[in-house]
Amino acid sequence: MKKIWNKILDAVVVAAKRFFVGSLKEGLKSEGGALPILGVSLIITGILFLVPTGYEGAVQFKDAEKCRAKIESVDNSRIIDTGLIRTGQQVCEIKFLSGKFKGKTAEGWNLLSGSLAQDKIFYPGDVAQVIVHHNENEIISANLIDYYRLHGELILAVAFAVFLIIFAGGTGLRSVLSFVITILVLWKILVPLYLKGFNPIFVGLVVVAILTFCILALVYGFDKRLFSSFCGSMLGIFFAAVLSVVCTKAFHIHGAVMANSEALLYSGYQYLNLTQIFMASVCVGASGSVMDLSVDITSAVNEVVKNCPTISRRNAIKSGMAVARAAMGTMTTTLLLAYSGTCIALLMTFMAQGTPLYNILNNNIVASEIINTVAGSFGLASTAPFTALVSGMVLRGKNSN
């Protein structure tokens, strides 16, 4: 494991050297300058890391010890099997790997509720996340919450970042930075504002606009390409938002179709408007594809103008439209596959039970996914020509017709 980490660190050092040399040259050559934008983005990232969500005090088990523990042995005699359903308790002998009781052993309890999605069965050698209730140095109880996955998730994230930086240099590092900023904005700004009862649609549009601007600035810098791609993206996102509101009301979709939304209400947030949150989620979900399409078209038009400076605005717009038509064919399918993948088990259940297509299409969950797909596709359809039009006019410059 130590050798693997050393190799990863060596790769990061090499990639970082490549990036700083490359991005310095790029920053001196480009109109917007890559380094100033990178510096501003790093400052924003640091601020977002430090900004509290306001809900840190609402953590469950805040008065208990959270730690890792290795499963030494298990006792399954108290588990009751009823077909696929398993209830009861699994008693495990555990050894603490971190925290106040590191190195000590104790009896841990794994409570089974009969849910395949939530329950887990431990085996000797597994590493679990444990909540320990104690009185000073005396352990009162140790509850096995889940498998411990943080180390694996960290390795996966680092590997992803290193891969991007090595193969894409400065662009890869900016992509990683935009990824981090997106996560932080959603977690530190969007979710807390939703929980506080702010209008979800307004908040969603504002947050998406901020994210779109920051991400496109990292891609292009502060130049004409940023303006054209941002305008195209926001038109598509706004169109998707309007369509999501109209279709949700017309189809009588309740926001409770979102996973875990009812549990949120029962946690003391009955005042939340789940339906508006669902409407906002449609435009937030479509924003990534819309942004991608606007960047593709803007970059294509920019290359055409750069390699053929004498091209007219009309022909530059035509070139953008040609790229837009080709890209739209795959992007709408991308949305369909992304959303249908999330409900594949539901579709399999319908087919296994012989549910008629008429009933399937009338199902509220399926209807909500149709709204997601169609609203996002309409957003793409409006983004493509508008981005091509703006790019052709702006990037071509003052010369011509």
Side-chain angles (χ1 to χ4, degrees):
M1 190 69 181
K2 191 174 181 180
K3 292 181 179 179
I4 294 176
W5 275 110
N6 288 335
K7 289 182 179 179
I8 291 177
L9 289 174
D10 291 339
V12 170
V13 171
V14 173
K17 289 181 180 178
R18 289 181 184 176
F19 166 74
F20 285 117
V21 173
S23 62
L24 178 59
K25 293 179 180 178
E26 182 181 349
L28 294 174
K29 291 179 181 178
S30 65
E31 187 177 343
L35 289 179
I37 297 168
L38 182 64
V40 171
S41 299
L42 288 171
I43 293 173
I44 293 173
T45 303
I47 292 173
L48 287 173
F49 263 118
L50 297 175
V51 169
T53 64
Y55 291 88
E56 287 79 8
V59 178
Q60 288 186 337
F61 312 115
K62 61 182 178 180
D63 297 324
E65 181 83 10
K66 298 91 172 172
C67 57
R68 291 180 297 126
K70 182 179 179 180
I71 308 299
E72 299 288 334
S73 62
V74 298
D75 177 8
N76 296 332
S77 61
R78 304 185 188 186
I79 296 178
I80 303 171
D81 290 315
T82 309
L84 293 174
I85 305 301
R86 311 190 85 178
T87 55
Q89 303 90 27
Q90 182 186 37
V91 184
C92 305
E93 188 72 21
I94 61 175
K95 182 178 181 180
F96 295 104
L97 302 178
S98 63
K100 181 176 181 178
F101 301 101
K102 182 178 180 180
K104 296 183 179 181
T105 59
E107 188 178 76
W109 291 75
N110 174 29
L111 302 179
L112 306 176
S113 62
S115 169
L116 294 176
Q118 300 296 328
D119 292 342
K120 74 291 300 177
I121 297 294
F122 295 103
Y123 297 92
D126 289 339
V127 177
Q129 176 188 358
V130 183
I131 298 295
V132 183
H133 294 273
H134 59 91
N135 182 11
E136 296 298 334
N137 295 323
E138 180 185 357
I139 297 175
I140 299 174
S141 65
N143 298 319
L144 307 182
I145 303 301
D146 213 324
Y147 292 101
Y148 188 82
R149 303 183 178 97
L150 295 185
H151 286 170
E153 291 170 351
L154 179 61
I155 292 173
L156 188 62
V158 171
F160 170 69
V162 170
F163 179 84
L164 280 179
I165 294 171
I166 290 175
F167 289 97
T171 303
L173 184 55
R174 291 196 296 275
S175 298
V176 173
L177 192 56
S178 67
F179 192 85
V180 173
I181 289 175
T182 301
I183 294 173
L184 289 174
V185 168
L186 293 178
W187 183 248
K188 296 284 186 129
I189 299 177
L190 185 72
V191 175
L193 290 179
Y194 278 1
L195 287 173
K196 290 175 181 176
F198 285 85
N199 186 287
I201 300 173
F202 176 75
V203 170
L205 285 172
V206 171
V207 168
V208 166
I210 293 172
L211 277 176
T212 301
F213 183 83
C214 291
I215 293 170
L216 293 176
L218 280 167
V219 173
Y220 288 133
F222 295 112
D223 63 15
K224 297 177 180 179
R225 295 170 298 172
L226 171 61
F227 175 77
S228 61
S229 59
F230 180 76
C231 288
S233 296
M234 290 312 301
L235 176 71
I237 292 168
F238 181 76
F239 197 83
V242 171
L243 199 59
S244 71
V245 173
V246 173
C247 291
T248 300
K249 291 182 178 179
F251 293 175
H252 302 285
I253 301 296
H254 192 280
V257 295
M258 296 183 293
N260 301 314
S261 57
E262 290 186 69
L264 178 62
L265 295 181
Y266 301 147
S267 299
Y269 294 89
Q270 298 90 342
Y271 56 86
L272 295 180
N273 190 324
L274 294 181
T275 302
Q276 287 189 357
I277 293 175
F278 170 77
M279 295 173 181
S281 71
V282 174
C283 68
V284 173
S287 62
S289 298
V290 167
M291 201 187 314
D292 187 23
L293 182 59
S294 70
V295 167
D296 289 343
I297 296 171
T298 300
S299 298
V301 174
N302 183 66
E303 287 301 312
V304 169
V305 172
K306 184 189 296 184
N307 288 287
C308 185
T310 59
I311 191 173
S312 67
R313 281 182 174 173
R314 181 177 299 174
N315 288 332
I317 293 172
K318 283 183 178 179
S319 298
M321 289 292 186
V323 174
R325 293 188 192 99
M328 279 173 58
T330 55
M331 290 304 294
T332 52
T333 307
T334 300
L335 280 177
L336 175 62
L337 291 173
Y339 291 128
S340 62
T342 60
C343 59
I344 191 67
L346 178 64
L347 298 178
M348 292 172 66
T349 302
F350 284 141
M351 181 171 288
Q353 295 177 347
T355 307
L357 185 60
Y358 175 86
N359 290 0
I360 293 174
L361 295 177
N362 271 293
N363 182 274
N364 61 342
I365 298 178
V366 174
S368 68
E369 295 302 333
I370 290 174
I371 293 174
N372 269 311
T373 304
V374 175
S377 298
F378 265 103
L380 289 171
S382 59
T383 295
F386 187 70
T387 304
L389 177 65
V390 175
S391 297
M393 294 183 66
V394 172
L395 299 180
R396 176 61 188 88
K398 295 181 180 179
N399 297 329
S400 250
N401 312 318

